[in-house]
Amino acid sequence: MKKSILFLFVILAHTMGLGQSKTVKYKRADGYEVTVSKDKVVATKTNKDGSSETITLSTDGLSANHVFEVVYKDKYSREIRKETYKEDLKFNVKGEITHLGSKRMRKGKKNRKISINPKGQLTRLEEHLGGKKWRKYKRNSKGQLVDDNDKTIESSDVKCLESEYVGGKLKTFRSILSEGKSKWDEANKPKDEDASTQDDGPIQFGLSPEKLAKYREATKELYETVCSDAPRFAEEGVSEDDFFFRGRIGLALGAEGDFFAFTYTAAVGYDDEVAEGIRFGGELGYTHYVGKETDFGKVDGVGFVPIKARATIDLSEYLNLDGLSASGGLGYAFGTTEGIDGGINYDIGIGYRIKEANLKSACQWDLTFDYDSINIQNGAFNSVAFGIRVSK
């Protein structure tokens, strides 16, 4: 009986194996040895001096972005540079290039971040050397690439950078992916020639017009929501400065908690990235404490108009905490209720990026939790609250 069960198990495993997708391997004329499997394409090239380059092409699945990752190693197999690029369905590209430290760069590793729009134009470049900002370019409202001092960058320098990525690296990545996809299709073509039964494998995120159209049709609602309008930053060349809205609702703390049921705030503001992962700006809002019934009757509400400077730190840039941020504000809140003067107003809190909402909107959505304090002459209005921040 045991032998019969074992025999059936072997037959079943063999049968299942026959239906598995075939892995394709081949060598390109430019020296890359390519391996194509169901979920990724890997291309490796070894140079004459013993150094190597490995390109991995895949997709992040959730948002259907292409992910191009390149690792460069020296002849001793030490990693010397790593590059990661993400490309969405509208062909907006964001990339990060990291050079590890060496004797030549004694201050430490060099880091570069770039953004490229569907037209192949560089819309942002930021470089750091040894943790300090070296240079930063971004496109202004006129579509010109400028530095931190709003000085226009020479067109020859811009074209040189664009050709390095668009005409060089990205062109190579797309070529490898497209070619590998075609070879995988051919190797895994069904015997009955019925394309509808074919396992898409890497082609579901490939760049061919036919497969891209098929993917868009299958995810029409999501595609129209996300991509029907090219992102403002990509199409119009607007810089990455952000307008934002912030709303919160929570509970009053301390002595004021006996007289006020809850508090809410609505604010609008504007900020800009002043360093890697750090944004700074200002905001104007309105805060209201809603009075509640006491033994002495209903307490009137109290209102304030706070004006604050605000700093936000993207913690994923420093602590590898994906989606988390920390924020703090400092300013003055003007009292709008008779008998209540204004006072120093500060807050501190954390935020979490809502990835699902960001996929369906051109805005960035963050859930927030913070502590806020308005210090008036004879006391303080303190509160904790949950909220939301929407930036564009």
Side-chain angles (χ1 to χ4, degrees):
M1 181 68 178
K2 290 183 178 179
K3 290 184 178 180
S4 299
I5 294 175
L6 179 62
F7 177 74
L8 289 173
F9 176 78
V10 172
I11 293 296
L12 179 60
H14 179 68
T15 303
M16 291 176 66
L18 290 176
Q20 292 178 349
S21 302
K22 297 178 182 177
T23 297
V24 178
K25 296 184 178 181
Y26 65 96
K27 187 170 184 178
R28 286 166 50 100
D30 54 10
Y32 287 101
E33 295 183 356
V34 183
T35 301
V36 187
S37 59
K38 181 180 178 181
D39 58 350
K40 63 183 177 181
V41 179
V42 179
T44 303
K45 181 168 68 173
T46 302
N47 302 313
K48 292 182 179 180
D49 62 358
S51 61
S52 65
E53 173 186 350
T54 301
I55 304 173
T56 302
L57 312 173
S58 60
T59 179
D60 64 6
L62 180 63
S63 57
N65 290 335
H66 297 96
V67 180
F68 306 141
E69 184 176 280
V70 192
V71 175
Y72 298 88
K73 295 183 179 181
D74 62 16
K75 62 181 180 180
Y76 303 108
S77 297
R78 296 177 301 193
E79 188 175 312
I80 58 176
R81 188 165 85 249
K82 183 176 181 179
E83 304 180 5
T84 303
Y85 305 89
K86 287 190 177 182
E87 180 179 61
D88 64 21
L89 290 176
K90 290 291 289 185
F91 306 110
N92 295 291
V93 178
K94 289 191 174 183
E96 181 169 358
I97 301 93
T98 301
H99 299 256
L100 299 184
S102 65
K103 291 182 179 179
R104 183 173 61 85
M105 294 187 291
R106 297 182 184 276
K107 293 183 179 181
K109 67 180 183 181
K110 177 181 177 182
N111 180 273
R112 172 186 286 182
K113 291 184 177 181
I114 63 167
S115 295
I116 298 170
N117 67 17
K119 301 175 184 178
Q121 298 173 324
L122 185 71
T123 51
R124 180 197 181 202
L125 180 143
E126 185 172 335
E127 288 185 332
H128 290 75
L129 183 59
K132 296 182 179 181
K133 185 169 68 174
W134 181 21
R135 60 176 175 173
K136 179 180 178 180
Y137 301 155
K138 60 184 178 181
R139 288 195 181 268
N140 58 21
S141 58
K142 297 179 180 179
Q144 301 170 324
L145 204 65
V146 298
D147 60 17
D148 280 347
N149 299 316
D150 288 329
K151 181 180 178 182
T152 304
I153 308 303
E154 293 290 336
S155 60
S156 57
D157 294 338
V158 177
K159 290 187 179 298
C160 181
L161 288 167
E162 290 175 346
S163 63
E164 176 183 355
Y165 293 102
V166 181
K169 298 178 185 295
L170 292 175
K171 184 178 181 180
T172 299
F173 300 158
R174 291 164 178 163
S175 172
I176 293 173
L177 181 57
S178 179
E179 182 182 56
K181 172 183 66 63
S182 297
K183 290 182 179 293
W184 196 92
D185 281 353
E186 184 64 29
N188 291 276
K189 183 181 296 184
K191 292 182 179 180
D192 59 5
E193 299 296 328
D194 182 4
S196 64
T197 64
Q198 183 175 353
D199 185 356
D200 271 348
I203 27 185
Q204 61 186 320
F205 57 88
L207 288 172
S208 74
E210 297 80 9
K211 289 297 179 179
L212 193 54
K214 178 181 177 181
Y215 180 86
R216 288 174 176 173
E217 182 62 30
T219 58
K220 187 175 181 180
E221 182 178 354
L222 175 63
Y223 175 74
E224 288 180 348
T225 304
V226 179
C227 303
S228 61
D229 229 355
R232 177 178 61 94
F233 170 65
E235 290 292 341
E236 300 178 12
V238 179
S239 67
E240 290 191 333
D241 311 335
D242 284 337
F243 288 98
F244 65 85
F245 166 81
R246 191 172 67 89
R248 63 189 290 273
I249 184 168
L251 300 175
L253 301 177
E256 272 64 33
D258 296 331
F259 303 99
F260 299 95
F262 65 93
T263 179
Y264 61 85
T265 298
V268 293
Y270 174 87
D271 63 11
D272 188 17
E273 191 171 42
V274 295
E276 185 175 8
I278 300 177
R279 307 188 69 85
F280 186 80
E283 69 174 35
L284 171 67
Y286 177 75
T287 295
H288 192 85
Y289 281 78
V290 179
K292 64 181 181 181
E293 291 286 347
T294 68
D295 295 338
F296 305 100
K298 176 69 182 290
V299 177
D300 293 333
V302 176
F304 297 92
V305 175
I307 300 177
K308 298 180 190 176
R310 177 163 300 282
T312 304
I313 301 176
D314 185 352
L315 296 179
S316 63
E317 294 281 356
Y318 300 95
L319 302 178
N320 198 29
L321 299 174
D322 187 32
L324 287 179
S325 62
S327 176
L330 177 63
Y332 190 89
F334 295 89
T336 61
T337 305
E338 186 177 355
I340 301 293
D341 295 328
I344 299 297
N345 181 201
Y346 67 88
D347 69 76
I348 186 169
I350 58 174
Y352 178 73
R353 189 167 304 122
I354 312 173
K355 296 181 180 179
E356 290 77 10
N358 293 334
L359 286 175
K360 298 182 178 181
S361 171
C363 301
Q364 178 174 303
W365 296 72
D366 295 88
L367 288 175
T368 63
F369 177 77
D370 65 63
Y371 169 81
D372 185 277
S373 178
I374 301 175
N375 295 270
I376 61 175
Q377 186 175 1
N378 299 316
F381 286 84
N382 303 319
S383 66
V384 290
F386 286 97
I388 193 165
R389 171 185 161 125
V390 183
S391 57
K392 183 175 177 60

